[in-house]
């Protein structure tokens, strides 16, 4: 059964983790290098990764003998570090150089949109929310990602560097709070 409160919660949590608005400077940089970003291709690839991991992620983890709670705690640590990175403006995670021709998939679709934080969050959400509500939240986020990718230049021109920096810090704080909640919920003492 669809639950509006769960859908809203899932949508906001994923929105914070994906942080497509905070990624506008990266998206704009790749758009300048490529001339354009293939918004449809990037959104479809990210959606495929997210939905596949939502359904197959737990089985994949079981191959390695890892339970969802342990993965969620590990993900909480990653989310915490991502939040710190966003707030402090320091790069904790290194990003490999990629070929410009593949930028719509790597790094836009993966890992910017459907990265480790998103996949960890999807598995953690499965422990708390109904799958159909998670799917609706994923689809709503993919729609928003598509809109942002399509209008990244316009958004950047309206927000300016200061507005983009403020959004990044606000979503960093939200990520820290989500990480702490995931850690508390899944840590078994």
């Amino acid at each position: 059964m669809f639950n509006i409160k769960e859908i809203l919660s899932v949508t906001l949590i994923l929105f914070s983790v994906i942080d497509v608005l905070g990624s506008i400077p990266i998206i704009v940089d790749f758009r300048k290098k490529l001339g354009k970003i293939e918004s449809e291709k990037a959104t479809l690839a990210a959606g495929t990764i997210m939905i596949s991991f939502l359904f197959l992620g737990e089985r994949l983890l079981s191959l390695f003998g890892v339970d969802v709670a342990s993965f969620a705690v590990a993900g909480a640590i990653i989310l915490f570090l991502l939040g710190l990175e966003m707030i402090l403006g320091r790069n904790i995670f290194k990003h490999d150089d990629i070929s410009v021709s593949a930028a719509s998939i790597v790094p836009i679709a993966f890992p910017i949109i459907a990265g480790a934080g998103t996949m960890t969050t999807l598995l953690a959400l499965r422990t708390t929310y109904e799958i159909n509500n998670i799917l609706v939240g994923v689809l709503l986020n993919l729609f928003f990602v598509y809109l942002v990718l399509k209008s990244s230049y316009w958004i950047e021109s309206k927000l300016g560097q200061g507005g983009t920096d403020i959004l990044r810090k606000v979503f960093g704080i939200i990520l820290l709070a989500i990480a702490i909640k995931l850690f508390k919920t899944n840590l078994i003492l």
Side-chain angles (χ1 to χ4, degrees):
M1 184 59 106
F2 292 104
N3 181 317
I4 299 297
K5 184 178 178 186
E6 281 194 11
I7 291 170
L8 185 61
S9 294
V10 168
T11 301
L12 291 175
I13 290 168
L14 285 173
F15 182 77
S16 297
V17 172
I18 293 169
D19 186 33
V20 72
L21 293 178
S23 299
I24 286 176
I26 298 166
I27 293 166
V28 168
D29 184 52
F30 278 103
R31 191 194 68 242
K32 287 177 185 174
K33 289 179 185 175
L34 296 172
K36 71 172 196 158
I37 291 176
E38 296 176 15
S39 306
E40 297 83 5
K41 186 177 183 180
T43 304
L44 184 61
T48 302
I49 292 167
M50 291 167 67
I51 292 171
S52 297
F53 200 78
L54 179 64
F55 288 105
L56 301 174
E58 198 168 345
R59 289 185 207 137
L60 180 64
L61 290 177
S62 69
L63 288 174
F64 297 105
V66 177
D67 62 284
V68 175
S70 298
F71 191 74
V73 170
I77 293 167
I78 291 170
L79 291 177
F80 188 83
L81 292 173
L82 285 171
L84 283 178
E85 188 177 79
M86 291 167 69
I87 292 169
L88 300 176
R90 302 277 186 223
N91 288 332
I92 297 170
F93 298 102
K94 282 246 182 224
H95 302 288
D96 297 325
D97 291 333
I98 60 150
S99 74
V100 176
S101 64
S104 289
I105 303 297
V106 178
I108 302 295
F110 179 82
I112 291 175
I113 299 167
T118 303
M119 291 187 285
T120 302
T121 302
L122 286 169
L123 285 185
L125 290 171
R126 274 193 78 156
T127 65
T128 309
Y129 299 102
E130 294 291 325
I131 197 81
N132 55 340
N133 295 323
I134 297 171
L135 284 171
V136 172
V138 167
L139 293 174
L140 288 172
N141 271 280
L142 288 172
F143 177 72
F144 188 72
V145 163
Y146 174 76
L147 289 178
V148 169
L149 290 175
K150 266 302 201 204
S151 58
S152 60
Y153 180 77
W154 180 83
I155 292 171
E156 190 228 2
S157 69
K158 295 299 177 193
L159 287 176
Q161 186 62 44
T164 304
D165 289 344
I166 290 169
L167 276 179
R168 192 169 187 89
K169 298 209 184 297
V170 167
F171 284 109
I173 291 169
I174 291 169
L175 272 184
L176 288 176
I178 292 168
I180 291 168
K181 181 181 177 190
L182 284 172
F183 191 77
K184 285 180 5 183
T185 303
N186 292 288
L187 187 64
I188 301 170
L189 296 176

